[in-house]
């Protein structure tokens, strides 16, 4: 309504979103894996990155906590304990921002979980991964707080948070225009109008007021 521009959304994980943009099949990306974002820009695919909002990740698991990680402050320490326990861990395994963060934590823990019999990769989004986790007895995963809050408020899952609050779990979202010098056909003007819109004072206030059904914040706006 404000600009007369219609936005067509392709809702996928960060890795897939950046691959689509690298093929010149998107005008703008909203993503949350800063390392992948910086490489995307350095390789000439993206320009004009802006901060939009943030939340954080939480590590969740069954109420009886068979791995004994409840309350551990360090995500890497919790993951190390999970690997030693052999309790099921359900991963998105889809190169999303959440999956990239999870793999960074495994690396800090000094563990390569791939191929382990306790490590399950769904290859699906966060919602599907939580639904699958719900059907696997005594399993753990990492989840962005927005999805966790909304699924918990909606009664779809009933898992307590095991680990939260560490700086490693910070989850910033950025927006990037696809580089028109690399792909002259992209709608660069439209992309920049969208970036200007989503980082504007009015829309940042709307993001700050976006809550789940129980009134929990889902994102914290942080456009400069």
């Amino acid at each position: 309504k404000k600009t007369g521009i219609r936005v067509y959304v392709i809702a996928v994980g960060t890795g897939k979103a950046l691959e689509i943009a690298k093929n010149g099949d998107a005008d703008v990306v909203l993503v949350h894996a800063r390392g992948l974002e910086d490489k995307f820009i350095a390789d000439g695919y993206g320009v004009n990155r802006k901060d939009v909002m943030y939340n954080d990740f939480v590590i969740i698991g069954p109420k009886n906590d068979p791995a004994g990680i409840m309350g551990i402050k360090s995500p890497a320490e919790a993951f190390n304990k999970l690997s030693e326990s052999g309790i099921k861990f359900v991963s998105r395994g889809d190169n999303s921002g959440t999956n990239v963060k999870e793999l960074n934590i495994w690396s800090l823990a000094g563990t390569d979980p791939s191929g382990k019999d306790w490590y399950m990769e769904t290859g699906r989004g966060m919602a599907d991964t939580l639904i699958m986790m719900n059907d696997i007895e005594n399993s753990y995963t990492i989840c962005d707080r927005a999805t966790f809050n909304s699924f918990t408020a909606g009664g779809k899952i009933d898992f307590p948070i095991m680990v939260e609050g560490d700086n490693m779990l910070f989850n910033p979202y950025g927006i990037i225009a696809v580089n028109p010098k690399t792909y002259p056909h992209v709608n660069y003007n439209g992309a920049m109008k969208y970036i200007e819109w989503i980082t504007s004072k009015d829309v940042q206030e709307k993001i700050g007021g976006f809550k789940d059904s129980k009134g929990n914040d889902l994102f914290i706006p942080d456009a400069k």
Side-chain angles (χ1 to χ4, degrees):
K1 288 180 180 179
K2 192 175 183 68
T3 65
I5 295 172
R6 180 181 295 276
V7 178
Y8 295 91
V9 178
I10 305 170
V12 292
T14 287
K16 181 65 173 176
L18 293 176
E19 285 301 319
I20 291 170
K22 284 178 184 178
N23 291 330
D25 294 329
D27 302 309
V28 63
V29 290
L30 178 62
V31 285
H32 66 127
R34 191 57 190 263
L36 296 183
E37 295 168 44
D38 290 344
K39 188 174 189 311
F40 178 76
I41 293 168
D43 289 346
Y45 295 111
V47 290
N48 301 334
R49 183 196 179 280
K50 302 291 184 184
D51 292 326
V52 175
M53 58 193 180
Y54 67 88
N55 58 19
D56 63 343
F57 293 104
V58 293
I59 299 169
I60 63 175
K63 291 178 180 178
N64 61 332
D65 188 23
I69 67 167
M70 172 70 85
I72 291 177
K73 297 300 182 185
S74 163
E77 183 183 340
F79 271 29
N80 186 52
K81 205 163 184 183
L82 278 169
S83 69
E84 290 175 348
S85 73
I87 303 292
K88 289 284 186 187
F89 187 94
V90 184
S91 169
R92 284 178 60 165
D94 62 350
N95 200 32
S96 61
T98 305
N99 185 217
V100 169
K101 176 65 70 175
E102 176 218 320
L103 294 176
N104 287 342
I105 298 172
W106 284 121
S107 180
L108 284 175
T111 299
D112 179 3
S114 58
K116 301 289 197 302
D117 58 4
W118 49 265
Y119 188 69
M120 178 179 295
E121 295 180 283
T122 69
R124 308 293 291 272
M126 196 72 253
D128 286 340
T129 297
L130 287 176
I131 290 168
M132 291 175 72
M133 179 194 172
N134 213 26
D135 294 332
I136 301 168
E137 189 176 0
N138 289 337
S139 59
Y140 294 79
T141 196
I142 184 170
C143 180
D144 67 281
R145 193 181 291 268
T147 308
F148 173 79
N149 280 349
S150 100
F151 264 60
T152 302
K156 295 178 182 177
I157 59 172
D158 185 21
F159 297 109
I161 293 174
M162 299 287 161
V163 181
E164 63 180 327
D166 188 270
N167 287 339
M168 182 65 190
L169 298 173
F170 181 58
N171 183 30
Y173 288 75
I175 193 160
I176 310 169
V178 173
N179 191 345
K181 291 182 179 178
T182 303
Y183 292 110
H185 68 273
V186 299
N187 184 359
Y188 177 70
N189 290 334
M192 290 309 300
K193 285 183 178 180
Y194 182 73
I195 290 173
E196 180 182 349
W197 175 81
I198 204 168
T199 58
S200 68
K201 185 172 184 285
D202 286 350
V203 178
Q204 287 284 291
E205 287 177 354
K206 289 182 189 300
I207 290 170
F210 185 48
K211 302 178 186 296
D212 66 25
S213 61
K214 291 192 174 180
N216 295 309
D217 291 328
L218 296 178
F219 301 98
I220 310 300
D222 72 339
K224 304 298 187 291

